[in-house]
């Protein structure tokens, strides 16, 4: 608010830097529940970028910004239109662009479908290196896992989100991920993650591949088809995974299993 209260040089409006200023102002307006004002700024960015031949979402993703404002306004069909437009463009191959669009599209779906789409969004955003957007996706994933009756995996997703948000200095997002959580209380979680990494290291590469597909929500039959093995072999791999990780079943597979096993994928 203090920065936005400063006088803006007139020449800023006609430059790329002016577009960045508009986006920052739009994000502030989103954060302060001024959704119409935010939408106006994001649409203004889009008009200028098209006019200047600079419509590159890797630089300024105005479509997904506008979709966020529309979602908050309850205009779901319009939000879906912007998200679909974003995903249909060649630039959607960029993992950050795609990850953000998938995270937002998930808000329009039922819990089970939302879980699958958020898992894909998490994968894309992990590849992109954008820790803040990854934290947002993990918070959303933690919420839907809790809704679908998987509290253990939800807690893991939220712990991972908390760490990422803390590293970004995003205190509000930290509180959203784990209300009341502190760095001191986090020592035990760090120990648990270290223990998980040690247990994951005992899995064979075949067991890791099966486990990671299971984390994504694939059925045993779907896993068998993807890996060209029998359903019985999938079941045997999962049984060994459960035993080695000391968990009761599929619902307790850690959401961040991929993080511990990145070197194998």
């Amino acid at each position: 608010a203090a920065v936005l209260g400063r006088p803006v040089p007139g020449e800023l409006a006609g430059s790329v830097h002016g577009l960045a200023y508009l986006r920052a102002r739009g994000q502030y307006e989103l954060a302060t529940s001024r959704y119409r004002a935010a939408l106006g700024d994001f649409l203004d960015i889009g008009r200028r970028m098209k006019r200047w031949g600079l419509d590159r979402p890797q630089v300024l993703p105005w479509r997904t910004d506008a979709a966020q404002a529309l979602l908050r306004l309850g205009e779901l069909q319009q939000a879906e239109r912007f998200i679909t437009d974003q995903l249909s463009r060649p630039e959607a191959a960029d993992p950050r662009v795609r990850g953000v669009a998938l995270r937002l599209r998930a808000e329009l779906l039922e819990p089970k479908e939302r879980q699958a789409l958020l898992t894909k969004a998490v994968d894309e955003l992990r590849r992109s290196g954008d820790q803040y957007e990854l934290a947002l996706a993990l918070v959303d994933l933690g919420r839907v896992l809790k809704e679908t009756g998987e509290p253990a995996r939800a807690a893991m997703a939220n712990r991972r989100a908390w760490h990422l948000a803390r590293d970004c200095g995003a205190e509000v997002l930290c509180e959203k991920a784990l209300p009341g959580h502190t760095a001191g209380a986090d020592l035990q979680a760090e120990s648990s993650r270290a223990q998980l990494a040690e247990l994951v290291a005992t899995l064979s590469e075949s067991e890791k591949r099966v486990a990671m597909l299971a984390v994504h929500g694939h059925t045993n039959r779907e896993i068998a088809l993807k890996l060209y093995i029998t359903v019985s072999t999938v079941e045997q791999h999962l049984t060994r995974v459960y035993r080695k990780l000391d968990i009761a079943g599929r619902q307790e597979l850690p959401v961040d299993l991929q993080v511990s096993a990145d070197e194998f994928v």
Side-chain angles (χ1 to χ4, degrees), residues 162 171-186:
W162 187 91
E171 296 178 6
V172 172
L173 188 55
C174 281
E175 183 64 18
K176 191 174 181 180
L178 290 176
H181 194 69
T182 65
D186 193 55

XYZ file of all heavy atoms in Angstrom, residues 162 171-186:
125
model
N 4.708 -25.820 4.144
C 5.179 -24.910 5.196
C 6.646 -24.581 5.001
O 7.061 -23.425 5.104
C 4.936 -25.524 6.564
C 5.232 -24.604 7.712
C 4.369 -23.752 8.331
C 6.492 -24.449 8.379
N 5.011 -23.070 9.327
C 6.314 -23.470 9.389
C 7.746 -25.026 8.214
C 7.347 -23.073 10.225
C 8.784 -24.624 9.049
C 8.581 -23.656 10.049
N 4.865 -15.596 5.226
C 4.370 -15.945 6.560
C 2.883 -16.298 6.560
O 2.452 -17.209 7.271
C 4.631 -14.785 7.526
C 6.115 -14.503 7.742
C 6.351 -13.327 8.667
O 5.358 -12.806 9.227
O 7.522 -12.923 8.836
N 2.101 -15.575 5.766
C 0.657 -15.855 5.712
C 0.411 -17.261 5.165
O -0.441 -17.994 5.665
C -0.066 -14.803 4.852
C -1.526 -15.195 4.640
C 0.008 -13.438 5.521
N 1.181 -17.637 4.139
C 1.030 -18.976 3.562
C 1.498 -20.046 4.543
O 0.922 -21.136 4.597
C 1.799 -19.077 2.246
C 1.581 -20.348 1.426
C 0.103 -20.582 1.138
C 2.374 -20.282 0.116
N 2.521 -19.758 5.343
C 2.963 -20.690 6.388
C 1.808 -20.992 7.336
O 1.558 -22.155 7.683
C 4.124 -20.091 7.176
S 5.729 -20.191 6.380
N 1.127 -19.941 7.756
C 0.017 -20.112 8.693
C -1.132 -20.874 8.039
O -1.824 -21.660 8.696
C -0.462 -18.741 9.175
C -1.567 -18.776 10.215
C -1.147 -19.425 11.527
O 0.080 -19.552 11.777
O -2.049 -19.806 12.306
N -1.327 -20.672 6.753
C -2.381 -21.382 6.031
C -2.047 -22.861 5.920
O -2.926 -23.724 6.016
C -2.541 -20.775 4.632
C -3.766 -21.232 3.877
C -3.912 -20.453 2.574
C -5.152 -20.893 1.816
N -5.302 -20.148 0.536
N -0.766 -23.173 5.718
C -0.347 -24.566 5.581
C -0.434 -25.307 6.913
O -1.011 -26.404 6.986
C 1.083 -24.636 5.033
N 0.139 -24.721 7.956
C 0.152 -25.360 9.278
C -0.133 -24.294 10.339
O 0.789 -23.679 10.876
C 1.507 -26.007 9.550
C 1.869 -27.259 8.745
C 3.288 -27.702 9.071
C 0.890 -28.398 9.016
N -1.389 -24.050 10.645
C -1.736 -23.019 11.635
C -1.034 -23.252 12.972
O -1.051 -24.354 13.512
C -3.256 -23.179 11.788
C -3.703 -23.784 10.487
C -2.585 -24.695 10.072
N -0.363 -22.205 13.466
C 0.299 -22.287 14.767
C 1.620 -23.005 14.768
O 2.276 -23.110 15.812
N 2.065 -23.484 13.607
C 3.320 -24.234 13.548
C 4.501 -23.282 13.692
O 4.478 -22.164 13.179
C 3.418 -24.967 12.216
C 4.490 -26.011 12.172
N 4.428 -27.181 12.884
C 5.660 -26.057 11.482
C 5.499 -27.911 12.636
N 6.265 -27.255 11.792
N 5.552 -23.720 14.387
C 6.747 -22.898 14.586
C 7.980 -23.656 14.144
O 7.958 -24.877 13.963
C 6.917 -22.531 16.072
O 7.150 -23.744 16.819
C 5.688 -21.817 16.608
N 9.075 -22.912 13.975
C 10.324 -23.543 13.567
C 10.796 -24.558 14.609
O 11.361 -25.598 14.287
C 11.397 -22.483 13.347
N 10.559 -24.244 15.908
C 10.963 -25.185 16.951
C 10.226 -26.503 16.834
O 10.817 -27.580 16.939
N 8.931 -26.415 16.605
C 8.135 -27.636 16.472
C 8.506 -28.396 15.225
O 8.206 -29.586 15.079
C 6.653 -27.276 16.435
N 9.203 -27.726 14.310
C 9.534 -28.349 13.035
C 10.719 -29.305 13.123
O 10.968 -30.081 12.202
C 9.846 -27.261 12.016
C 9.880 -27.792 10.601
O 8.881 -28.404 10.198
O 10.902 -27.611 9.930
